[in-house]
Amino acid sequence: MDESDHTEFRRRIAVALDTPDREQFRRWISWFGPRVGVLKVGLEAFVRWGPAAVEEAGAQGRAVFLDLKFHDIPNTVRGAVRSARKLGVRYLTVHAGGGQAMLEAAVDAAQGEVAILAVTLLTHLDEPALKVLDLEGPAPRRVENWATLARRAGCAGVVCSPLEAAALRRANPAPFLLVTPGIRSVAAEAGDQRRTATPSEALRAGADLLVIGRPLTRAQDRQAALDRIGAEMSATDL
Ligand code: C5P
């Protein structure tokens, strides 16, 4: 199958550009930039190179997802979102656990120019890890409550585990965005992610945007990995 067959689906991939190596970061931007819909700049790149990382990723009109997961008092988050808006990012993350006033401050500062995505529970946290954190009880219920909170605060969507996407989609119809990390191709290694799903499972559950890092960036053969994921996505019965 020709790679162009998967174009529409590849637009729904956000590649996580997580690396401490500036040259590698630039190579990923030029390679993935024309092939996927969104480039995600995370903490590792931003803490090293600051706004220059966003500017490089966003050159030539590419959509940038700035994933800094803000979690602070509302006034500080408001200022940080305003700064991110000036950088021209398309998507920005905050922690839903920061509460309603913080989420509302983020949405207000975004002025409709940046899609605020609320992180529900980080996907590396399984129930034993949550128990240690004194967050006992079913994770899905917590995720649903926090997603509802985010929607009512005006967030554009949430970042959630693909395993929770179906329930969230039932409670939060489109255009509320469901963005899912923890994507692993069939038979791939999960790494430190716990609650994972394949690209097809995530799409079937209602995900709009799939965040994919290592399965693409660390693949021995990037083109083959992207083709395989694109093929899995386009073979999904939606
Ligand atoms: O390499 P991998 O595919 O696991 O990368 C997933 C990306 O998604 C990382 O950049 C990580 O920071 C991000 N992410 C996540 N879980 C969340 C939110 C973001 O894994 N809940």
Side-chain angles (χ1 to χ4, degrees), residues 103-104 106-108 114-116 148-157 176:
L103 294 170
E104 286 173 355
V107 170
D108 186 46
V114 185
I116 300 294
T148 304
L149 176 73
R151 181 169 46 78
R152 292 193 179 142
C155 292
F176 193 68

Side-chain angles (χ1 to χ4, degrees), residues 16-216:
L17 306 171
D18 298 326
T19 175
D21 178 340
R22 188 68 176 271
E23 284 315 307
Q24 183 167 61
F25 181 76
R26 290 183 171 139
R27 282 197 300 275
W28 287 350
I29 289 171
S30 34
W31 198 84
F32 287 109
R35 292 175 171 85
V36 302
V38 181
L39 296 177
K40 186 170 88 70
V41 175
L43 283 166
E44 189 167 4
F46 194 81
V47 171
R48 276 182 182 246
W49 308 308
V54 173
E55 282 155 16
E56 281 175 28
Q60 294 158 24
R62 291 182 290 255
V64 177
F65 176 168
L66 184 58
D67 186 18
L68 302 182
K69 301 185 180 69
F70 295 151
H71 192 166
D72 210 317
I73 58 171
N75 193 53
T76 301
V77 168
R78 182 189 301 280
V81 172
R82 199 178 291 137
S83 299
R85 176 167 55 81
K86 291 187 177 144
L87 288 176
V89 306
R90 182 88 52 93
Y91 304 94
L92 183 66
T93 46
V94 300
H95 273 287
Q100 184 176 346
M102 191 206 79
L103 294 170
E104 286 173 355
V107 170
D108 186 46
Q111 292 189 9
E113 292 172 24
V114 185
I116 300 294
L117 303 172
V119 175
T120 51
L121 278 182
L122 296 171
T123 43
H124 75 291
L125 293 172
D126 52 15
E127 289 198 4
L130 289 169
K131 194 171 173 188
V132 173
L133 287 171
D134 214 8
L135 291 171
E136 252 179 288
R141 198 183 59 209
R142 186 178 311 277
V143 169
E144 282 172 42
N145 288 343
W146 286 8
T148 304
L149 176 73
R151 181 169 46 78
R152 292 193 179 142
C155 292
V158 287
V159 180
C160 62
S161 156
L163 304 186
E164 282 131 16
L168 291 184
R169 179 50 83 214
R170 281 192 294 277
N172 305 279
F176 193 68
L177 296 173
L178 301 181
V179 178
T180 57
I183 301 296
R184 291 297 178 264
S185 197
V186 183
E189 280 183 32
D192 62 350
Q193 297 281 15
R194 289 287 171 271
R195 293 176 287 136
T196 64
T198 66
S200 287
E201 287 166 342
L203 288 183
R204 264 201 307 274
D208 298 288
L209 192 63
L210 311 190
V211 174
I212 309 180
R214 289 161 292 180
L216 285 173

